[in-house]
Amino acid sequence: MKKLILSAVIVLASSAIVPAALAQDAAAGKNSFNKCLACHAIGEGAKNKVGPELNGLDGRKAGTVPDYNYSEANKNSGITWNEANFKEYIKDPKAKVPGTKMFFAGIKNEKEINDLWAYVSSFDKDGKTK
């Protein structure tokens, strides 16, 4: 009986830990965003660099940041950024949008992608955290 109770406790504890491990972590995403900083800015006062600023990315139509010179491929991609599109794009930008100017090999690690989305999507169009 003690073994059965101990087994049940272990199963319950494990099931509580697994979802937490899969959860998105914006703090880890901020660290991952360091890979993006050479080309992109985010947050209050963000300006376009080699790539467009990323404030308010969630729900924004691709190719629409003012004063940024997008490739025709990006402007005509028909993408409205959301979690699914971002995650597919960031794995291999040139596969998602052939002809994009973005020279980035991509991120393959699912946890890192989840964390990066949690960070990027936490900013509204004015660069304030939601």
Side-chain angles (χ1 to χ4, degrees):
M1 184 65 156
K2 287 182 182 179
K3 287 183 182 180
L4 181 62
I5 292 172
L6 180 59
S7 295
V9 168
I10 290 171
V11 167
L12 288 173
S14 296
S15 65
I17 292 170
V18 172
L22 298 176
Q24 296 177 344
D25 181 352
K30 181 178 182 181
N31 187 44
S32 183
F33 191 77
N34 287 332
K35 295 177 181 179
C36 312
L37 277 174
C39 299
H40 296 281
I42 199 165
E44 292 186 59
K47 303 282 184 218
N48 294 330
K49 294 177 162 184
V50 173
E53 54 89 2
L54 299 178
N55 290 333
L57 185 66
D58 190 15
R60 185 172 80 199
K61 187 175 186 240
T64 61
V65 169
D67 303 320
Y68 183 75
N69 184 24
Y70 286 95
S71 66
E72 288 301 313
N74 203 303
K75 287 191 283 190
N76 299 319
S77 68
I79 293 173
T80 297
W81 294 111
N82 60 27
E83 184 172 2
N85 282 329
F86 175 84
K87 288 178 176 183
E88 183 180 351
Y89 182 83
I90 204 66
K91 286 178 186 176
D92 187 352
K94 291 202 176 282
K96 177 75 174 166
V97 181
T100 183
K101 294 189 312 185
M102 186 163 163
F103 288 100
F104 182 65
I107 297 173
K108 308 303 186 224
N109 180 287
E110 292 292 329
K111 171 127 177 56
E112 185 176 1
I113 291 169
N114 289 337
D115 294 344
L116 183 57
W117 174 252
Y119 178 69
V120 170
S121 65
S122 71
F123 291 89
D124 68 16
K125 65 181 180 68
D126 297 320
K128 297 185 187 326
T129 52
K130 298 179 188 174

